[in-house]
Amino acid sequence: MKKIQANASGTRSIEVSEQHLATIEQYQLLRDLIDSNGYIDEGVLEKLKLNIRSLLESEAGRDKQLLDLCLDVIYHPNMKAIGLQNLIKLFLDWKKNQTENGVSAD
């Protein structure tokens, strides 16, 4: 279990599990999420929430892992833009470690 900082002062955090990261990869939730300006703001977080809501409403979204990700991380009361930025950094580090160790979550 990893923790990401959810606010600028560091007083709030969100726990992220390996399964949460694997679910992000499985559904490719971060693909094409950030605009060309590279900024992660509340609009990007809202876009992610809408994408996930769409998945959950579809037949393919009946996945308990996706629901857990939503409840535990994405829709967490402390999740803000800085939390999303830290989640993306954590995911990229996790993905890099997966690649270096020859392990794939596919």
Side-chain angles (χ1 to χ4, degrees):
M1 194 69 81
K2 309 266 190 214
K3 283 190 174 186
I4 58 170
Q5 183 177 327
N7 65 358
S9 64
T11 58
R12 304 202 185 266
S13 62
I14 300 171
E15 291 188 347
V16 180
S17 71
E18 286 274 329
Q19 185 58 53
H20 292 139
L21 297 170
T23 302
I24 290 171
E25 181 179 40
Q26 176 186 351
Y27 286 96
Q28 299 181 358
L29 297 175
L30 302 179
R31 176 174 274 174
D32 300 326
L33 184 64
I34 302 169
D35 294 330
S36 61
N37 63 17
Y39 292 113
I40 299 172
D41 57 13
E42 296 300 320
V44 175
L45 179 58
E46 191 59 33
K47 181 178 175 183
L48 175 61
K49 288 179 178 182
L50 290 173
N51 288 346
I52 291 175
R53 188 176 302 151
S54 174
L55 279 172
L56 289 171
E57 290 174 354
S58 73
E59 195 62 35
R62 307 273 187 242
D63 182 4
K64 181 184 178 328
Q65 305 304 333
L66 184 59
L67 286 171
D68 288 345
L69 174 67
C70 287
L71 294 173
D72 298 342
V73 181
I74 305 301
Y75 284 92
H76 190 283
N78 293 333
M79 179 57 86
K80 305 289 184 229
I82 192 167
L84 178 57
Q85 183 175 2
N86 290 327
L87 177 63
I88 291 169
K89 286 178 186 175
L90 176 63
F91 176 78
L92 292 174
D93 289 344
W94 176 80
K95 186 70 176 159
K96 180 181 174 189
N97 288 336
Q98 293 286 317
T99 304
E100 288 174 356
N101 294 330
V103 177
S104 178
D106 292 338

